[in-house]
Amino acid sequence: MSVIDIELAMKHLLAEPEDQVLVQAQLDAAEEAAMQFLQRRFFVDQAALEVARVAVPTQLSEARVIYEAAKQDAEGFDDLGDQCRLREQARQRYGDALEAIDLDAYGIVINAAITAACLLKLGHLFANREEVVTGTIATELPLASKSLLMPYRIRMGV
């Protein structure tokens, strides 16, 4: 479920009521893209953020237990190649789990800039429902969604 109210999104797009299901799906996608870019999850209010942060230590412990069990399972194989592959898969799953946990650990309460960025992305998704645009010239606006999100981004990475 999205953090941004669907009614705000519908007004932003000037969408018809029959488009609400599509708008909700695209709003969810726009928010997910923003969270992945920020490398942190955003929440509707401080209380929701705190609930997510309280769960972080438990999630870390569970991820570690799963990782250790997967490493143990890998040791049960006779073939060294299989052991290496299974250990690498366990490390990858553990890394993925840590990244997902960090999204909440470094969470942020949604603000006007993040909302605006998500609505810009939503507008793009709604207006361009196909991968190919013909007969027009597409230009990215200088104050696009990434510019609005950049001050809140952590771990710049790729």
Side-chain angles (χ1 to χ4, degrees), residues 84-152:
C84 288
R85 178 177 295 277
L86 290 170
R87 280 195 302 267
E88 179 57 34
Q89 289 172 356
R91 274 192 293 278
Q92 182 65 48
R93 284 193 302 273
Y94 183 57
D96 292 346
L98 292 179
E99 286 180 19
I101 292 165
D102 283 351
L103 290 175
D104 288 341
Y106 297 106
I108 187 173
V109 175
I110 194 167
N111 58 37
I114 295 171
T115 300
C118 290
L119 292 175
L120 280 171
K121 179 61 82 176
L122 172 64
H124 172 74
L125 292 172
F126 190 76
N128 302 294
R129 298 177 200 186
E130 303 293 329
E131 282 192 17
V132 178
V133 179
T134 57
T136 82
I137 299 173
T139 305
E140 185 175 0
L141 299 174
L143 294 176
S145 59
K146 287 184 181 175
S147 298
L148 290 166
L149 294 173
M150 192 58 79
Y152 307 101

Side-chain angles (χ1 to χ4, degrees), residues 2 7 9 15 18 25 32 41 54-55 62 64 81 84-85 87 106-107 114 121 134 141 143 153 158:
S2 59
E7 293 305 317
E18 59 267 13
E32 180 62 29
R41 199 174 315 283
V54 165
E62 291 171 354
R64 175 54 98 173
C84 288
R85 178 177 295 277
R87 280 195 302 267
Y106 297 106
I114 295 171
K121 179 61 82 176
T134 57
L141 299 174
L143 294 176
R153 189 173 187 203
V158 177

